[in-house]
Amino acid sequence: MKSAKIIGLGKYLPAKRLTNFDLEKMVNTTDEWIRTRSGIKERRIAAYGEAASHLAYKASKIAIKRAGIKAEDLDLIIVATVTPDSTFPSTACYLQSHLKAKNATCFDISAACAGFVYGLINAWHFIVSGMHKNILVVGSEVISTLTDWKDRSTCVLFGDGAGAAVLTATKSGGFLSSHTGSDGSQSDILFVPGGGSRKPISKEVVDKRLHFIRMKGNELFRTAVRTMVVTAKAALKKAKIKTKDIDLVVPHQANKRIIDAVAKRLKLPMNKIFLNLSRYGNMSSASTAVALCEAWEKKRIKKGDIVLLDAFGAGLVWGSCVIKWI
Ligand code: UT7
C-alpha cells in the first residue's frame, strides 16, 4: 500500500434557490454588482432546521453507494464544517448516527473553506499509516445561519451545500502530494466575533449582530490570490508535476476574479479550471467538495488525470493536494 485514492463522490444542494434578483429585494445591491464583482448568480439555502449533518448525510449516501461499500465498512468519518449542528457533539457523530456507520471513529475539522482539502489530506495519511481503511470525508455547511442578511458586503457571497468523498488504499496513483499553511495573526480578516467562548451568546452579542460573519473583503482577496498560488506551486513541486501536466484544477469557489488571478499566475488556461460558483456561491468547506464531485460527474476528470485541489479560507488557512486519478 502506497497511497490513498478516492473511490466515491457525492453532493447535495438544498432545494431553495436564492438569486441575485431576490437579493436586490433584501439589501441595497444589484445583480450586475454581484455578477461582475464575484461571478455569482445564485446560491442554495437550507430549510430551517436542515442542519450540516442532514446535508452531509444526503451527499454521503451517494458517495458510499458509488464507492461500492456499505456504511458499516467505514472506519473513520471526518466532517469539515464551520456550521456544525451544535457546538458539540461533532457533526461527524451526528452523521454516523444517520448513516448507521457503527464501526467508524468520528471527528470534525475546523479549517473553514480549506476544510475539505485538510480532511482529504488527513484521511490520506490515516490510510497510509495503516490506521484506517475506508474513510468518509465530508465538507458540509449551512453558512446561511452565519450570514448577516442585512450586510450587503457579505450576504451576497455565501451559500449552503455538502460534498462527500470515500477514500481507500491504493498501490499506485492516488494522492501524490500536499501542502498546507496557516497564519493565525490574520484571524480578524474573516471571522465570527460572537457566540464562542470569547464572547458567549448574549443579548448584546445578538443586538450587535456579532454572531454573524465579519469580513475585510479587499485584504482577503489579495491574500487569497497570493496563498493559493504559493500552496499550489509547493504541492506541484513536491509531486514533481509541471503546471502543463495538470489536467484539471478544482479551486475553492470564493470569487471568480480570485480564481482568474490564480490561474493567470500559475499560467493555466481557464479551460483547465473547474468553476461552479455562479450557481452555488461560496459554500466554505463544501465548495471544493461539491466542485470535485461535479467535475467527476461531468466527466471533466478521467482515469490517469492529474487533479489539483487548491483552497483558502478563514484562519487564515490554505492548502492544496495533487491527485493522480485512478
Ligand atoms: O472563502 C473565504 C474567502 N473569501 C474571499 O476570499 C472573499 C474575498 N473578497 C472578495 O471576494 C471581494 O473583496 C468582494 C466580492 C467581497 C468585494 O469586491 P471588491 O471589488 O473588493 O469590492 P469592495 O469591497 O472594494 O467594494 C466596492 C464598493 C464599495 O462602495 P464604495 O466604498 O466604493 O462606495 C462597497 O460599499 O462596492 C460596495 N459594495 C456593494 N455594492 C453593491 C459592497 N458590497 C456591495 C453589494 N452591492 N453587495
Side-chain angles (χ1 to χ4, degrees), residues 27-30 33-34 36-38 40 112-114 151-158 190 215-225 228 252-258 282-284 287 312-314:
V27 285
N28 182 15
T29 191
T30 60
W33 191 96
I34 304 170
T36 53
R37 298 290 178 125
S38 72
I40 300 162
C113 307
D151 176 10
R152 69 173 183 173
S153 69
T154 53
C155 77
V156 302
L157 301 172
F158 297 99
L190 177 57
M215 185 178 84
K216 294 177 187 161
N218 271 314
E219 285 175 53
L220 200 55
F221 192 103
R222 285 192 296 275
T223 319
V225 174
M228 283 177 79
H252 172 50
Q253 313 272 320
N255 187 316
K256 169 81 164 50
R257 291 187 296 134
I258 292 177
N282 180 350
M283 298 182 287
S284 189
S287 271
F312 164 89

Short mmCIF file of all heavy atoms in Angstrom, two decimals, residues 27-30 33-34 36-38 40 112-114 151-158 190 215-225 228 252-258 282-284 287 312-314, ligand 1:
data_model
loop_
_atom_site.label_atom_id
_atom_site.label_comp_id
_atom_site.label_asym_id
_atom_site.label_seq_id
_atom_site.Cartn_x
_atom_site.Cartn_y
_atom_site.Cartn_z
N VAL A 27 -31.38 43.65 0.19
CA VAL A 27 -30.36 44.65 0.55
C VAL A 27 -30.09 45.57 -0.64
O VAL A 27 -30.53 45.28 -1.76
CB VAL A 27 -29.01 43.98 0.99
CG1 VAL A 27 -29.10 43.38 2.37
CG2 VAL A 27 -28.55 42.95 -0.02
N ASN A 28 -29.34 46.64 -0.39
CA ASN A 28 -29.05 47.62 -1.43
C ASN A 28 -27.95 47.09 -2.36
O ASN A 28 -26.78 47.43 -2.22
CB ASN A 28 -28.63 48.93 -0.77
CG ASN A 28 -28.34 50.01 -1.80
OD1 ASN A 28 -28.72 49.88 -2.97
ND2 ASN A 28 -27.67 51.07 -1.37
N THR A 29 -28.34 46.21 -3.28
CA THR A 29 -27.37 45.62 -4.21
C THR A 29 -28.03 45.43 -5.57
O THR A 29 -29.23 45.67 -5.72
CB THR A 29 -26.84 44.28 -3.66
OG1 THR A 29 -25.72 43.87 -4.45
CG2 THR A 29 -27.90 43.17 -3.69
N THR A 30 -27.21 44.99 -6.55
CA THR A 30 -27.76 44.70 -7.87
C THR A 30 -27.17 43.39 -8.39
O THR A 30 -26.06 43.01 -8.01
CB THR A 30 -27.40 45.81 -8.90
OG1 THR A 30 -25.96 45.86 -8.97
CG2 THR A 30 -27.97 47.15 -8.51
N TRP A 33 -23.79 44.13 -9.92
CA TRP A 33 -22.66 44.27 -8.99
C TRP A 33 -22.19 42.89 -8.55
O TRP A 33 -21.00 42.58 -8.60
CB TRP A 33 -23.05 45.10 -7.75
CG TRP A 33 -21.84 45.48 -6.91
CD1 TRP A 33 -21.15 46.66 -6.97
CD2 TRP A 33 -21.18 44.67 -5.93
NE1 TRP A 33 -20.09 46.64 -6.09
CE2 TRP A 33 -20.09 45.43 -5.43
CE3 TRP A 33 -21.36 43.39 -5.42
CZ2 TRP A 33 -19.21 44.96 -4.45
CZ3 TRP A 33 -20.48 42.91 -4.45
CH2 TRP A 33 -19.43 43.69 -3.97
N ILE A 34 -23.12 42.04 -8.15
CA ILE A 34 -22.73 40.73 -7.61
C ILE A 34 -22.04 39.89 -8.70
O ILE A 34 -20.99 39.28 -8.47
CB ILE A 34 -23.95 39.95 -7.05
CG1 ILE A 34 -24.67 40.79 -5.99
CG2 ILE A 34 -23.51 38.62 -6.46
CD1 ILE A 34 -26.02 40.22 -5.55
N THR A 36 -20.50 40.91 -11.55
CA THR A 36 -19.21 41.40 -12.03
C THR A 36 -18.13 41.36 -10.95
O THR A 36 -16.97 41.14 -11.25
CB THR A 36 -19.31 42.83 -12.60
OG1 THR A 36 -19.93 43.66 -11.62
CG2 THR A 36 -20.12 42.87 -13.88
N ARG A 37 -18.52 41.55 -9.66
CA ARG A 37 -17.50 41.54 -8.60
C ARG A 37 -17.17 40.15 -8.09
O ARG A 37 -16.10 39.93 -7.54
CB ARG A 37 -17.96 42.37 -7.40
CG ARG A 37 -18.19 43.83 -7.67
CD ARG A 37 -16.88 44.53 -7.94
NE ARG A 37 -17.12 45.92 -8.26
CZ ARG A 37 -16.56 46.92 -7.61
NH1 ARG A 37 -15.72 46.72 -6.64
NH2 ARG A 37 -16.82 48.16 -7.99
N SER A 38 -18.11 39.19 -8.26
CA SER A 38 -17.85 37.87 -7.67
C SER A 38 -18.04 36.70 -8.65
O SER A 38 -17.47 35.64 -8.45
CB SER A 38 -18.78 37.64 -6.47
OG SER A 38 -20.12 37.42 -6.92
N ILE A 40 -21.00 35.33 -9.05
CA ILE A 40 -22.11 34.53 -8.52
C ILE A 40 -23.46 35.02 -9.08
O ILE A 40 -23.70 36.23 -9.15
CB ILE A 40 -22.13 34.61 -6.97
CG1 ILE A 40 -20.81 34.08 -6.40
CG2 ILE A 40 -23.31 33.81 -6.39
CD1 ILE A 40 -20.53 34.48 -4.96
N ALA A 112 -12.34 26.06 7.96
CA ALA A 112 -13.14 26.93 7.09
C ALA A 112 -13.14 26.42 5.64
O ALA A 112 -13.36 25.24 5.41
CB ALA A 112 -12.66 28.36 7.21
N CYS A 113 -12.87 27.32 4.70
CA CYS A 113 -13.01 26.96 3.28
C CYS A 113 -11.98 25.93 2.83
O CYS A 113 -12.16 25.29 1.79
CB CYS A 113 -12.90 28.21 2.41
SG CYS A 113 -14.03 29.49 2.91
N ALA A 114 -10.89 25.77 3.59
CA ALA A 114 -9.89 24.75 3.24
C ALA A 114 -10.20 23.42 3.93
O ALA A 114 -9.45 22.46 3.81
CB ALA A 114 -8.49 25.24 3.62
N ASP A 151 -26.24 42.69 5.80
CA ASP A 151 -24.91 43.17 5.40
C ASP A 151 -24.66 42.82 3.93
O ASP A 151 -24.30 41.69 3.60
CB ASP A 151 -23.85 42.55 6.31
CG ASP A 151 -22.44 42.92 5.89
OD1 ASP A 151 -22.26 43.80 5.02
OD2 ASP A 151 -21.49 42.33 6.45
N ARG A 152 -24.81 43.81 3.04
CA ARG A 152 -24.69 43.52 1.60
C ARG A 152 -23.27 43.10 1.20
O ARG A 152 -23.08 42.48 0.17
CB ARG A 152 -25.11 44.73 0.78
CG ARG A 152 -24.14 45.91 0.87
CD ARG A 152 -24.51 47.01 -0.09
NE ARG A 152 -23.54 48.09 -0.03
CZ ARG A 152 -23.52 49.12 -0.83
NH1 ARG A 152 -24.45 49.25 -1.76
NH2 ARG A 152 -22.61 50.06 -0.72
N SER A 153 -22.26 43.47 2.04
CA SER A 153 -20.89 43.15 1.65
C SER A 153 -20.57 41.67 1.83
O SER A 153 -19.58 41.17 1.29
CB SER A 153 -19.89 44.02 2.43
OG SER A 153 -19.87 43.65 3.78
N THR A 154 -21.36 40.96 2.62
CA THR A 154 -21.11 39.52 2.79
C THR A 154 -22.27 38.62 2.33
O THR A 154 -22.03 37.54 1.79
CB THR A 154 -20.80 39.18 4.27
OG1 THR A 154 -21.86 39.70 5.08
CG2 THR A 154 -19.46 39.73 4.72
N CYS A 155 -23.52 39.07 2.53
CA CYS A 155 -24.64 38.14 2.33
C CYS A 155 -24.81 37.69 0.88
O CYS A 155 -25.44 36.67 0.62
CB CYS A 155 -25.94 38.70 2.89
SG CYS A 155 -26.72 39.98 1.88
N VAL A 156 -24.24 38.45 -0.05
CA VAL A 156 -24.40 38.08 -1.46
C VAL A 156 -23.42 36.96 -1.88
O VAL A 156 -23.52 36.44 -3.00
CB VAL A 156 -24.19 39.32 -2.38
CG1 VAL A 156 -25.18 40.41 -2.02
CG2 VAL A 156 -22.76 39.85 -2.29
N LEU A 157 -22.47 36.63 -0.98
CA LEU A 157 -21.38 35.76 -1.40
C LEU A 157 -21.56 34.27 -1.07
O LEU A 157 -20.97 33.42 -1.72
CB LEU A 157 -20.06 36.22 -0.75
CG LEU A 157 -19.63 37.66 -1.07
CD1 LEU A 157 -18.42 38.04 -0.21
CD2 LEU A 157 -19.29 37.80 -2.55
N PHE A 158 -22.37 33.98 -0.03
CA PHE A 158 -22.34 32.62 0.51
C PHE A 158 -23.57 31.78 0.15
O PHE A 158 -24.62 32.32 -0.21
CB PHE A 158 -22.17 32.67 2.03
CG PHE A 158 -20.86 33.31 2.44
CD1 PHE A 158 -20.81 34.64 2.83
CD2 PHE A 158 -19.69 32.57 2.41
CE1 PHE A 158 -19.60 35.23 3.19
CE2 PHE A 158 -18.48 33.15 2.76
CZ PHE A 158 -18.43 34.48 3.16
N LEU A 190 -11.46 37.51 8.49
CA LEU A 190 -12.71 36.80 8.22
C LEU A 190 -13.03 35.97 9.45
O LEU A 190 -12.31 35.02 9.76
CB LEU A 190 -12.53 35.88 6.98
CG LEU A 190 -13.70 35.00 6.58
CD1 LEU A 190 -14.96 35.79 6.31
CD2 LEU A 190 -13.35 34.17 5.35
N MET A 215 -16.10 40.37 7.54
CA MET A 215 -15.05 40.12 6.54
C MET A 215 -14.46 41.41 6.01
O MET A 215 -15.19 42.36 5.73
CB MET A 215 -15.69 39.34 5.38
CG MET A 215 -14.70 38.90 4.32
SD MET A 215 -15.52 37.94 3.04
CE MET A 215 -16.14 39.24 2.03
N LYS A 216 -13.11 41.43 5.90
CA LYS A 216 -12.44 42.54 5.21
C LYS A 216 -12.13 42.04 3.80
O LYS A 216 -11.07 41.45 3.55
CB LYS A 216 -11.16 42.93 5.95
CG LYS A 216 -11.41 43.51 7.34
CD LYS A 216 -10.12 43.81 8.06
CE LYS A 216 -10.39 44.23 9.51
NZ LYS A 216 -9.21 44.11 10.37
N GLY A 217 -13.09 42.23 2.91
CA GLY A 217 -13.06 41.62 1.58
C GLY A 217 -11.81 41.91 0.77
O GLY A 217 -11.22 40.98 0.20
N ASN A 218 -11.40 43.17 0.75
CA ASN A 218 -10.24 43.56 -0.06
C ASN A 218 -8.96 42.86 0.36
O ASN A 218 -8.23 42.32 -0.47
CB ASN A 218 -10.02 45.07 0.03
CG ASN A 218 -10.81 45.79 -1.03
OD1 ASN A 218 -10.78 45.37 -2.17
ND2 ASN A 218 -11.51 46.83 -0.66
N GLU A 219 -8.69 42.91 1.71
CA GLU A 219 -7.47 42.27 2.23
C GLU A 219 -7.49 40.78 1.94
O GLU A 219 -6.48 40.19 1.57
CB GLU A 219 -7.36 42.49 3.74
CG GLU A 219 -6.95 43.90 4.12
CD GLU A 219 -6.97 44.09 5.62
OE1 GLU A 219 -6.35 43.30 6.35
OE2 GLU A 219 -7.65 45.05 6.06
N LEU A 220 -8.67 40.20 2.13
CA LEU A 220 -8.83 38.77 1.93
C LEU A 220 -8.56 38.39 0.47
O LEU A 220 -7.91 37.38 0.19
CB LEU A 220 -10.27 38.40 2.30
CG LEU A 220 -10.55 36.95 2.62
CD1 LEU A 220 -9.63 36.43 3.70
CD2 LEU A 220 -12.00 36.80 3.08
N PHE A 221 -9.05 39.21 -0.42
CA PHE A 221 -8.89 38.97 -1.85
C PHE A 221 -7.40 38.81 -2.20
O PHE A 221 -6.98 37.84 -2.82
CB PHE A 221 -9.51 40.14 -2.63
CG PHE A 221 -9.65 39.89 -4.10
CD1 PHE A 221 -10.89 39.58 -4.65
CD2 PHE A 221 -8.56 39.95 -4.95
CE1 PHE A 221 -11.02 39.34 -6.01
CE2 PHE A 221 -8.69 39.72 -6.30
CZ PHE A 221 -9.92 39.41 -6.84
N ARG A 222 -6.62 39.80 -1.75
CA ARG A 222 -5.18 39.80 -2.07
C ARG A 222 -4.48 38.58 -1.48
O ARG A 222 -3.69 37.91 -2.14
CB ARG A 222 -4.52 41.09 -1.56
CG ARG A 222 -4.85 42.30 -2.41
CD ARG A 222 -3.95 43.48 -2.04
NE ARG A 222 -4.17 43.94 -0.67
CZ ARG A 222 -5.10 44.81 -0.31
NH1 ARG A 222 -5.90 45.32 -1.21
NH2 ARG A 222 -5.24 45.19 0.95
N THR A 223 -4.78 38.29 -0.20
CA THR A 223 -4.13 37.16 0.47
C THR A 223 -4.57 35.84 -0.17
O THR A 223 -3.76 34.91 -0.28
CB THR A 223 -4.46 37.14 1.97
OG1 THR A 223 -4.41 38.48 2.45
CG2 THR A 223 -3.48 36.31 2.75
N ALA A 224 -5.82 35.77 -0.57
CA ALA A 224 -6.33 34.54 -1.19
C ALA A 224 -5.53 34.23 -2.46
O ALA A 224 -5.06 33.10 -2.65
CB ALA A 224 -7.81 34.67 -1.51
N VAL A 225 -5.36 35.23 -3.31
CA VAL A 225 -4.64 35.01 -4.56
C VAL A 225 -3.20 34.56 -4.26
O VAL A 225 -2.73 33.55 -4.79
CB VAL A 225 -4.63 36.30 -5.43
CG1 VAL A 225 -3.74 36.11 -6.66
CG2 VAL A 225 -6.06 36.68 -5.84
N MET A 228 -3.06 30.98 -2.50
CA MET A 228 -3.50 29.87 -3.36
C MET A 228 -2.43 29.54 -4.41
O MET A 228 -2.25 28.39 -4.78
CB MET A 228 -4.83 30.20 -4.04
CG MET A 228 -6.02 30.05 -3.09
SD MET A 228 -7.58 30.51 -3.83
CE MET A 228 -7.98 29.06 -4.81
N HIS A 252 -11.05 26.44 -4.59
CA HIS A 252 -12.12 26.93 -3.72
C HIS A 252 -12.87 28.03 -4.48
O HIS A 252 -12.27 28.87 -5.14
CB HIS A 252 -11.55 27.48 -2.41
CG HIS A 252 -12.59 28.16 -1.59
ND1 HIS A 252 -13.79 27.57 -1.30
CD2 HIS A 252 -12.64 29.39 -1.02
CE1 HIS A 252 -14.52 28.39 -0.58
NE2 HIS A 252 -13.85 29.51 -0.40
N GLN A 253 -14.21 27.99 -4.39
CA GLN A 253 -15.04 28.85 -5.23
C GLN A 253 -15.52 30.07 -4.43
O GLN A 253 -16.68 30.14 -4.03
CB GLN A 253 -16.24 28.06 -5.75
CG GLN A 253 -15.90 26.68 -6.31
CD GLN A 253 -15.53 26.70 -7.79
OE1 GLN A 253 -16.13 27.40 -8.58
NE2 GLN A 253 -14.54 25.90 -8.15
N ALA A 254 -14.60 31.01 -4.14
CA ALA A 254 -14.99 32.20 -3.37
C ALA A 254 -15.37 33.36 -4.28
O ALA A 254 -16.32 34.08 -4.02
CB ALA A 254 -13.87 32.62 -2.44
N ASN A 255 -14.60 33.52 -5.34
CA ASN A 255 -14.79 34.68 -6.22
C ASN A 255 -14.14 34.36 -7.57
O ASN A 255 -12.97 33.96 -7.61
CB ASN A 255 -14.13 35.91 -5.58
CG ASN A 255 -14.42 37.19 -6.35
OD1 ASN A 255 -14.37 37.21 -7.57
ND2 ASN A 255 -14.73 38.24 -5.62
N LYS A 256 -14.87 34.56 -8.65
CA LYS A 256 -14.34 34.25 -9.99
C LYS A 256 -13.07 35.05 -10.27
O LYS A 256 -12.13 34.57 -10.91
CB LYS A 256 -15.43 34.56 -11.03
CG LYS A 256 -15.00 34.55 -12.48
CD LYS A 256 -14.94 33.16 -13.07
CE LYS A 256 -14.89 33.12 -14.58
NZ LYS A 256 -13.91 33.98 -15.21
N ARG A 257 -13.03 36.30 -9.76
CA ARG A 257 -11.85 37.13 -10.02
C ARG A 257 -10.62 36.60 -9.27
O ARG A 257 -9.50 36.73 -9.76
CB ARG A 257 -12.13 38.58 -9.62
CG ARG A 257 -13.15 39.27 -10.57
CD ARG A 257 -13.27 40.74 -10.26
NE ARG A 257 -13.80 40.95 -8.93
CZ ARG A 257 -13.31 41.81 -8.03
NH1 ARG A 257 -12.27 42.55 -8.32
NH2 ARG A 257 -13.87 41.94 -6.85
N ILE A 258 -10.82 35.99 -8.10
CA ILE A 258 -9.68 35.36 -7.38
C ILE A 258 -9.17 34.19 -8.22
O ILE A 258 -7.97 34.04 -8.45
CB ILE A 258 -10.11 34.85 -5.98
CG1 ILE A 258 -10.45 36.02 -5.05
CG2 ILE A 258 -9.02 33.97 -5.36
CD1 ILE A 258 -10.95 35.61 -3.66
N ASN A 282 -20.12 30.85 -2.50
CA ASN A 282 -19.07 30.30 -1.65
C ASN A 282 -19.71 29.45 -0.55
O ASN A 282 -20.42 29.97 0.30
CB ASN A 282 -18.28 31.47 -1.05
CG ASN A 282 -17.14 31.02 -0.14
OD1 ASN A 282 -17.03 29.85 0.20
ND2 ASN A 282 -16.31 31.96 0.26
N MET A 283 -19.46 28.13 -0.60
CA MET A 283 -20.05 27.22 0.40
C MET A 283 -19.00 26.76 1.40
O MET A 283 -19.10 25.66 1.95
CB MET A 283 -20.66 26.01 -0.31
CG MET A 283 -21.80 26.36 -1.27
SD MET A 283 -22.53 24.89 -2.02
CE MET A 283 -21.22 24.41 -3.18
N SER A 284 -17.97 27.58 1.62
CA SER A 284 -16.90 27.26 2.55
C SER A 284 -16.36 25.85 2.28
O SER A 284 -16.05 25.53 1.15
CB SER A 284 -17.37 27.45 4.00
OG SER A 284 -16.28 27.35 4.87
N SER A 287 -17.40 23.87 -0.82
CA SER A 287 -17.15 24.34 -2.19
C SER A 287 -16.26 23.39 -3.00
O SER A 287 -16.64 22.96 -4.09
CB SER A 287 -16.52 25.73 -2.17
OG SER A 287 -17.52 26.72 -2.17
N PHE A 312 -8.44 28.01 0.22
CA PHE A 312 -8.02 29.12 1.07
C PHE A 312 -9.20 29.54 1.92
O PHE A 312 -10.34 29.50 1.46
CB PHE A 312 -7.61 30.28 0.15
CG PHE A 312 -7.52 31.59 0.86
CD1 PHE A 312 -6.32 31.97 1.45
CD2 PHE A 312 -8.62 32.42 0.97
CE1 PHE A 312 -6.25 33.17 2.13
CE2 PHE A 312 -8.53 33.62 1.65
CZ PHE A 312 -7.34 34.00 2.24
N GLY A 313 -8.94 29.94 3.16
CA GLY A 313 -10.10 30.38 3.96
C GLY A 313 -9.74 31.03 5.28
O GLY A 313 -8.57 31.34 5.55
N ALA A 314 -10.77 31.23 6.10
CA ALA A 314 -10.61 31.91 7.39
C ALA A 314 -9.63 31.16 8.26
O ALA A 314 -9.58 29.93 8.26
CB ALA A 314 -11.97 32.01 8.08
O1 UT7 B 1 -13.97 31.84 1.33
C1 UT7 B 1 -13.09 32.71 2.01
C2 UT7 B 1 -12.56 33.61 1.14
N1 UT7 B 1 -13.44 34.73 0.79
C3 UT7 B 1 -12.93 35.57 -0.05
O2 UT7 B 1 -11.83 35.30 -0.49
C4 UT7 B 1 -13.64 36.85 -0.43
C5 UT7 B 1 -12.61 37.82 -0.94
N2 UT7 B 1 -13.08 39.11 -1.31
C6 UT7 B 1 -13.90 39.34 -2.35
O3 UT7 B 1 -14.34 38.41 -2.98
C7 UT7 B 1 -14.20 40.77 -2.76
O4 UT7 B 1 -13.37 41.62 -2.00
C8 UT7 B 1 -15.68 41.18 -2.58
C9 UT7 B 1 -16.54 40.48 -3.61
C10 UT7 B 1 -16.14 40.80 -1.18
C11 UT7 B 1 -15.84 42.66 -2.76
O5 UT7 B 1 -15.35 43.07 -4.03
P1 UT7 B 1 -14.44 44.37 -4.15
O6 UT7 B 1 -14.17 44.58 -5.57
O7 UT7 B 1 -13.24 44.12 -3.25
O8 UT7 B 1 -15.37 45.50 -3.61
P2 UT7 B 1 -15.13 46.47 -2.38
O9 UT7 B 1 -15.24 45.72 -1.09
O10 UT7 B 1 -13.88 47.25 -2.62
O11 UT7 B 1 -16.38 47.43 -2.51
C12 UT7 B 1 -16.50 48.33 -3.60
C13 UT7 B 1 -17.77 49.12 -3.43
C14 UT7 B 1 -17.91 49.76 -2.06
O12 UT7 B 1 -18.52 51.02 -2.24
P3 UT7 B 1 -17.62 52.36 -2.21
O13 UT7 B 1 -16.99 52.39 -0.86
O14 UT7 B 1 -16.63 52.20 -3.33
O15 UT7 B 1 -18.63 53.43 -2.44
C15 UT7 B 1 -18.87 48.87 -1.33
O16 UT7 B 1 -19.60 49.55 -0.33
O17 UT7 B 1 -18.90 48.24 -3.56
C16 UT7 B 1 -19.78 48.42 -2.44
N3 UT7 B 1 -20.44 47.15 -2.17
C17 UT7 B 1 -21.57 46.79 -2.82
N4 UT7 B 1 -22.32 47.41 -3.73
C18 UT7 B 1 -23.42 46.75 -4.19
C19 UT7 B 1 -20.06 46.16 -1.34
N5 UT7 B 1 -20.93 45.13 -1.40
C20 UT7 B 1 -21.88 45.52 -2.32
C21 UT7 B 1 -23.03 44.88 -2.83
N6 UT7 B 1 -23.75 45.53 -3.76
N7 UT7 B 1 -23.41 43.64 -2.44
#
